[in-house]
Amino acid sequence: MDALERYEPILDDFEAFRAACERPLPSVVRVNGIKATRERVTDAFDAEGVEWEPREWNEKVLKIEGKPGNTWPSFHGWTHGQEEVSSISAFVLDPEPEERVLDSCAAPGSKTTQLAALMDDDGLIVANDSNLGRLSALRFNTERLGVTCAAVTNQDARNFSLKPFDFSAFDAALVDVPCSCEGTIRKNPTALDDWSLDHIEGVAGVQKGILRRAIQATREGGTIVYSTCTFAPEENEAVLDYALAREDCQLVEYDIGLQSEPGLTEWQGDQYDDSIRKAKRFYPHHNDTGGFFCAKLEVGA
Ligand SMILES: C[S@@+](CC[C@H](N)C(=O)[O-])C[C@H]1O[C@@H](n2cnc3c(N)ncnc32)[C@H](O)[C@@H]1O
């Protein structure tokens, strides 16, 4: 847990944070609106004897007893087991039907399938990932959840090419980048075993390239959501600061209904753009979730 001690100066209650990181994560599912309503899912849970509780911030998110994949609604593709905070990014992007959306780092598809449901499975999602092996999980999830509006690509998102498409820009992009995964410690107790500052600095370079390319590939007035499941400012605020200085975009406020802390404007002597406080940090002890970081940007002035 030593890797987490560096965050003591920025936390309201470090002991509560540490205790939450050591507790197992509640089991949470997202209702898949493409195949079922919330009522259909909760009726099926009741019939099967699966205990469930609503999560107040979003009616599509339910806490259940037992493993998310071991229920009839999951078998039918009516629900998808998805860490609660992981569902924030797509809700914040909030795409409309008929839009063109780039999902830069899409595998295994939790957010691609969520975007598709928010778009009523109508429009185009380009679900991209550079890891060919992980694309099979993405395809499995899109098929299981009944998604037909997603096209799968296998590119390095830092150089994402629009050449295969008959349009010149996306309406929106979800940039859910690879990261040091510190915030997944409750789900994966070994997540911090290989932690190092060198790894953080290395992956931050990749994140900067992916975010920058997604901004360039999105039309003026379009929306970008940047998210990670880590606490490291080098992978969060520093990446946003880098993109703001080089691309035509700005941070946008959003409201999600979960407790959060604002993005940092200073970390270990580095100063970040003041607007980055509009990003949100989600800590495990605030909502009994994993850790997450999410920022919304608009392209163009
Ligand atoms: C946090 S995971 C994405 C999770 C996914 N958005 C979801 O909700 O299921 C990050 C993904 O980025 C992919 N990745 C890593 N480097 C990449 C790159 N340069 N271009 C595109 N994808 C990349 C990894 O293979 C991994 O699947």
Side-chain angles (χ1 to χ4, degrees):
M1 300 293 274
D2 288 348
L4 300 178
E5 269 168 22
R6 68 199 291 257
Y7 304 121
E8 189 164 1
I10 59 169
L11 284 162
D12 56 343
D13 185 343
F14 183 69
E15 288 317 312
F17 166 78
R18 187 190 276 281
C21 288
E22 287 170 358
R23 280 197 302 274
L25 203 57
S27 193
V28 172
V29 297
R30 171 175 60 78
V31 174
N32 174 28
I34 295 174
K35 283 198 168 180
T37 60
R38 180 185 190 272
E39 192 180 15
R40 192 172 191 191
V41 168
T42 55
D43 284 353
F45 281 155
D46 289 342
E48 199 180 345
V50 175
E51 283 184 37
W52 61 273
E53 272 175 42
R55 291 301 248 182
E56 298 304 328
W57 67 280
N58 194 293
E59 61 156 16
K60 297 281 185 199
V61 180
L62 304 172
K63 183 177 164 187
I64 64 165
E65 286 302 318
K67 291 193 175 164
N70 288 1
T71 67
W72 278 110
S74 168
F75 178 79
H76 291 303
W78 299 352
T79 59
H80 181 63
Q82 183 174 0
E83 220 278 79
E84 191 161 355
V85 283
S86 151
S87 67
I88 291 172
S89 326
F91 287 132
V92 171
L93 191 68
D94 197 22
E96 299 281 334
E98 296 183 24
E99 284 189 332
R100 294 174 178 135
V101 180
L102 171 63
D103 190 352
S104 297
C105 305
S110 291
K111 299 179 190 71
T112 303
T113 53
Q114 187 184 359
L115 292 169
L118 291 166
M119 295 164 69
D120 296 334
D121 197 29
D122 180 12
L124 174 68
I125 301 172
V126 175
N128 178 73
D129 203 282
S130 63
N131 185 327
L132 192 59
R134 284 170 65 92
L135 287 182
S136 53
L138 169 67
R139 291 177 62 107
F140 171 79
N141 281 321
T142 53
E143 281 167 24
R144 187 177 67 84
L145 299 175
V147 174
T148 64
C149 72
V152 176
T153 60
N154 180 214
Q155 298 192 37
D156 184 327
R158 290 173 289 186
N159 308 307
F160 187 83
S161 170
L162 280 156
K163 272 195 189 145
F165 306 102
D166 63 355
F167 55 86
S168 59
F170 290 94
D171 296 302
L174 180 61
V175 186
D176 186 47
V177 287
C179 70
S180 58
C181 296
E182 295 168 344
T184 66
I185 183 75
R186 297 183 68 182
K187 186 170 69 178
N188 175 12
T190 62
L192 298 179
D193 285 1
D194 295 327
W195 188 96
S196 76
L197 212 45
D198 278 354
H199 173 61
I200 287 179
E201 295 292 355
V203 80
V206 176
Q207 293 159 345
K208 286 171 182 164
I210 295 174
L211 176 57
R212 217 175 153 182
R213 180 64 195 127
I215 296 166
Q216 292 163 354
T218 301
R219 68 167 169 80
E220 196 171 330
T223 304
I224 308 277
V225 166
Y226 177 80
S227 58
T228 75
C229 53
T230 199
F231 308 113
E234 295 87 345
E235 300 178 58
N236 294 326
E237 289 87 349
V239 174
L240 293 174
D241 191 65
Y242 172 92
L244 286 176
R246 288 162 181 81
E247 299 296 334
D248 189 10
C249 61
Q250 58 180 342
L251 264 285
V252 177
E253 299 271 9
Y254 68 88
D255 188 20
I256 194 73
L258 284 168
Q259 186 178 344
S260 63
E261 293 292 327
L264 304 176
T265 54
E266 194 271 332
W267 172 250
Q268 295 187 339
D270 287 338
Q271 305 291 323
Y272 306 129
D273 191 281
D274 214 43
S275 68
I276 291 174
R277 65 177 76 247
K278 292 177 184 170
K280 295 191 194 299
R281 304 184 137 252
F282 299 91
Y283 291 116
H285 60 302
H286 286 161
N287 307 288
D288 195 18
T289 61
F292 208 66
F293 178 86
C294 186
K296 185 173 189 174
L297 299 101
E298 185 182 337
V299 178

Coordinates of all heavy atoms in Angstrom, one line a residue, residues 191-227:
A191 N -2.8 -5.2 -7.8 CA -2.7 -4.1 -8.8 C -1.5 -3.2 -8.5 O -1.0 -2.6 -9.5 CB -4.0 -3.2 -8.7
L192 N -1.0 -3.1 -7.3 CA 0.1 -2.2 -7.0 C 1.4 -2.9 -6.9 O 2.5 -2.3 -6.6 CB -0.2 -1.4 -5.7 CG -1.4 -0.5 -5.7 CD1 -1.6 0.2 -4.4 CD2 -1.3 0.5 -6.8
D193 N 1.4 -4.2 -7.1 CA 2.7 -5.0 -6.9 C 3.8 -4.5 -7.8 O 5.0 -4.6 -7.4 CB 2.4 -6.5 -7.2 CG 1.6 -7.2 -6.1 OD1 1.3 -6.4 -5.1 OD2 1.4 -8.4 -6.1
D194 N 3.5 -4.1 -9.0 CA 4.6 -3.6 -9.9 C 4.6 -2.1 -10.0 O 5.1 -1.6 -11.0 CB 4.4 -4.3 -11.3 CG 4.5 -5.8 -11.3 OD1 5.3 -6.3 -10.5 OD2 3.8 -6.5 -12.0
W195 N 4.0 -1.5 -9.0 CA 4.0 0.0 -9.1 C 5.4 0.6 -9.2 O 6.3 0.2 -8.4 CB 3.3 0.5 -7.8 CG 3.0 2.0 -7.8 CD1 1.8 2.6 -8.2 CD2 3.9 3.1 -7.5 NE1 1.9 4.0 -8.1 CE2 3.2 4.3 -7.7 CE3 5.2 3.1 -7.0 CZ2 3.7 5.5 -7.4 CZ3 5.7 4.4 -6.8 CH2 5.0 5.5 -6.9
S196 N 5.6 1.6 -10.0 CA 6.8 2.4 -10.0 C 6.5 3.7 -10.7 O 5.7 3.9 -11.5 CB 7.9 1.7 -10.7 OG 7.8 1.8 -12.1
L197 N 7.3 4.7 -10.2 CA 7.1 6.1 -10.8 C 7.5 6.0 -12.3 O 7.0 6.7 -13.1 CB 8.0 7.1 -10.0 CG 7.5 8.5 -9.9 CD1 6.0 8.6 -9.6 CD2 8.3 9.3 -8.9
D198 N 8.5 5.2 -12.6 CA 8.9 5.1 -14.0 C 7.8 4.6 -14.9 O 7.6 5.1 -16.0 CB 10.1 4.1 -14.1 CG 11.4 4.7 -13.8 OD1 11.4 5.9 -13.6 OD2 12.4 3.9 -13.7
H199 N 7.0 3.6 -14.4 CA 5.9 3.1 -15.1 C 4.8 4.2 -15.3 O 4.3 4.4 -16.4 CB 5.2 1.9 -14.4 CG 4.0 1.5 -15.1 ND1 3.9 1.0 -16.4 CD2 2.7 1.4 -14.6 CE1 2.6 0.7 -16.7 NE2 1.9 1.0 -15.6
I200 N 4.6 5.0 -14.3 CA 3.6 6.1 -14.3 C 4.1 7.1 -15.4 O 3.3 7.5 -16.2 CB 3.5 6.8 -13.0 CG1 2.7 5.8 -12.0 CG2 2.8 8.1 -13.1 CD1 2.4 6.3 -10.6
E201 N 5.4 7.5 -15.4 CA 5.9 8.5 -16.4 C 5.7 7.9 -17.8 O 5.4 8.6 -18.7 CB 7.3 8.8 -16.1 CG 7.5 9.5 -14.7 CD 6.9 10.9 -14.7 OE1 6.4 11.4 -15.7 OE2 6.9 11.5 -13.6
G202 N 6.0 6.6 -17.9 CA 6.0 6.0 -19.3 C 4.5 5.9 -19.8 O 4.3 6.3 -20.9
V203 N 3.6 5.5 -19.0 CA 2.2 5.4 -19.5 C 1.6 6.8 -19.7 O 0.8 7.0 -20.6 CB 1.4 4.5 -18.5 CG1 0.9 5.2 -17.3 CG2 0.2 3.9 -19.3
A204 N 2.1 7.8 -18.9 CA 1.6 9.2 -19.1 C 1.9 9.7 -20.5 O 1.2 10.4 -21.1 CB 2.2 10.1 -18.0
G205 N 3.1 9.3 -21.0 CA 3.5 9.7 -22.4 C 2.5 9.1 -23.4 O 2.1 9.8 -24.3
V206 N 2.1 7.8 -23.2 CA 1.1 7.2 -24.1 C -0.2 7.9 -24.0 O -0.9 8.2 -25.0 CB 1.0 5.7 -23.8 CG1 -0.1 5.0 -24.6 CG2 2.3 5.0 -23.9
Q207 N -0.6 8.2 -22.8 CA -1.9 8.9 -22.5 C -2.0 10.2 -23.3 O -3.0 10.6 -23.9 CB -2.1 9.1 -21.0 CG -2.3 7.8 -20.3 CD -2.0 7.9 -18.8 OE1 -1.4 8.9 -18.3 NE2 -2.5 6.9 -18.0
K208 N -0.9 11.0 -23.2 CA -0.8 12.3 -23.8 C -1.1 12.2 -25.3 O -1.8 12.9 -25.9 CB 0.5 13.0 -23.6 CG 0.6 13.5 -22.1 CD 2.0 14.0 -21.8 CE 2.1 14.4 -20.3 NZ 3.5 14.5 -19.8
G209 N -0.4 11.2 -25.9 CA -0.5 11.0 -27.4 C -1.9 10.6 -27.8 O -2.5 11.0 -28.8
I210 N -2.6 9.7 -26.9 CA -3.9 9.2 -27.3 C -4.9 10.4 -27.1 O -5.8 10.5 -28.0 CB -4.3 8.0 -26.3 CG1 -3.4 6.8 -26.6 CG2 -5.7 7.6 -26.5 CD1 -3.6 5.6 -25.7
L211 N -4.8 11.1 -26.0 CA -5.8 12.2 -25.9 C -5.6 13.3 -27.0 O -6.6 13.7 -27.5 CB -5.6 12.9 -24.5 CG -6.4 14.1 -24.2 CD1 -7.9 13.8 -24.3 CD2 -6.2 14.7 -22.8
R212 N -4.4 13.6 -27.3 CA -4.2 14.6 -28.3 C -4.8 14.2 -29.7 O -5.5 15.0 -30.3 CB -2.7 14.8 -28.5 CG -2.3 16.2 -28.7 CD -0.9 16.5 -28.8 NE -0.7 17.6 -29.6 CZ 0.4 18.2 -29.9 NH1 1.5 17.7 -29.5 NH2 0.4 19.3 -30.7
R213 N -4.6 13.0 -30.0 CA -5.1 12.5 -31.3 C -6.6 12.5 -31.3 O -7.3 12.8 -32.3 CB -4.5 11.1 -31.6 CG -5.0 10.5 -33.0 CD -4.6 11.4 -34.2 NE -5.3 11.0 -35.4 CZ -5.9 11.9 -36.1 NH1 -5.9 13.2 -35.9 NH2 -6.6 11.5 -37.2
A214 N -7.2 12.1 -30.2 CA -8.7 12.1 -30.1 C -9.3 13.5 -30.3 O -10.3 13.7 -30.9 CB -9.2 11.5 -28.8
I215 N -8.6 14.5 -29.7 CA -9.1 15.9 -29.9 C -9.0 16.3 -31.3 O -9.9 16.8 -31.9 CB -8.3 16.8 -29.0 CG1 -8.5 16.5 -27.5 CG2 -8.6 18.3 -29.2 CD1 -7.5 17.1 -26.5
Q216 N -7.9 15.9 -32.0 CA -7.7 16.3 -33.4 C -8.8 15.6 -34.3 O -9.2 16.2 -35.3 CB -6.3 15.9 -33.9 CG -5.2 16.6 -33.2 CD -3.8 15.9 -33.4 OE1 -3.8 14.8 -33.9 NE2 -2.8 16.6 -33.0
A217 N -9.2 14.4 -33.9 CA -10.2 13.7 -34.7 C -11.6 14.0 -34.4 O -12.5 13.4 -35.0 CB -9.9 12.2 -34.5
T218 N -11.9 15.0 -33.6 CA -13.2 15.3 -33.2 C -13.6 16.7 -33.7 O -12.7 17.6 -33.7 CB -13.4 15.3 -31.6 OG1 -13.0 14.0 -31.2 CG2 -14.8 15.6 -31.1
R219 N -14.8 16.9 -34.2 CA -15.2 18.2 -34.8 C -15.2 19.3 -33.8 O -15.4 19.1 -32.6 CB -16.6 18.0 -35.5 CG -17.7 17.8 -34.5 CD -19.1 18.0 -35.1 NE -20.1 17.5 -34.2 CZ -20.6 18.2 -33.2 NH1 -20.1 19.4 -32.9 NH2 -21.6 17.7 -32.5
E220 N -15.2 20.5 -34.2 CA -15.3 21.7 -33.4 C -16.7 21.6 -32.7 O -17.7 21.3 -33.3 CB -15.2 23.0 -34.2 CG -15.0 24.2 -33.3 CD -14.6 25.4 -34.1 OE1 -14.0 25.3 -35.2 OE2 -15.0 26.5 -33.6
G221 N -16.7 21.9 -31.4 CA -18.0 21.8 -30.7 C -18.2 20.4 -30.1 O -19.2 20.2 -29.3
G222 N -17.4 19.4 -30.6 CA -17.6 18.1 -30.1 C -17.1 17.9 -28.7 O -16.4 18.7 -28.1
T223 N -17.4 16.7 -28.1 CA -17.1 16.5 -26.7 C -16.1 15.3 -26.6 O -16.2 14.3 -27.3 CB -18.4 16.0 -26.0 OG1 -19.4 17.1 -26.1 CG2 -18.2 15.9 -24.5
I224 N -15.2 15.5 -25.6 CA -14.2 14.5 -25.3 C -14.4 14.2 -23.8 O -14.5 15.1 -23.0 CB -12.8 15.0 -25.5 CG1 -12.5 15.6 -26.9 CG2 -11.8 13.9 -25.2 CD1 -12.2 14.7 -28.0
V225 N -14.3 12.9 -23.5 CA -14.2 12.5 -22.1 C -12.9 11.8 -21.9 O -12.6 10.8 -22.6 CB -15.4 11.7 -21.6 CG1 -15.1 11.1 -20.2 CG2 -16.7 12.6 -21.5
Y226 N -12.1 12.2 -20.9 CA -10.8 11.6 -20.6 C -11.0 10.9 -19.2 O -11.4 11.6 -18.3 CB -9.7 12.7 -20.6 CG -8.4 12.1 -20.2 CD1 -7.6 11.4 -21.1 CD2 -7.9 12.2 -18.9 CE1 -6.4 10.9 -20.8 CE2 -6.7 11.6 -18.5 CZ -5.9 11.0 -19.5 OH -4.7 10.4 -19.1
S227 N -10.7 9.6 -19.2 CA -10.8 9.0 -17.9 C -9.7 8.0 -17.6 O -9.1 7.4 -18.6 CB -12.2 8.3 -17.7 OG -12.4 7.4 -18.7

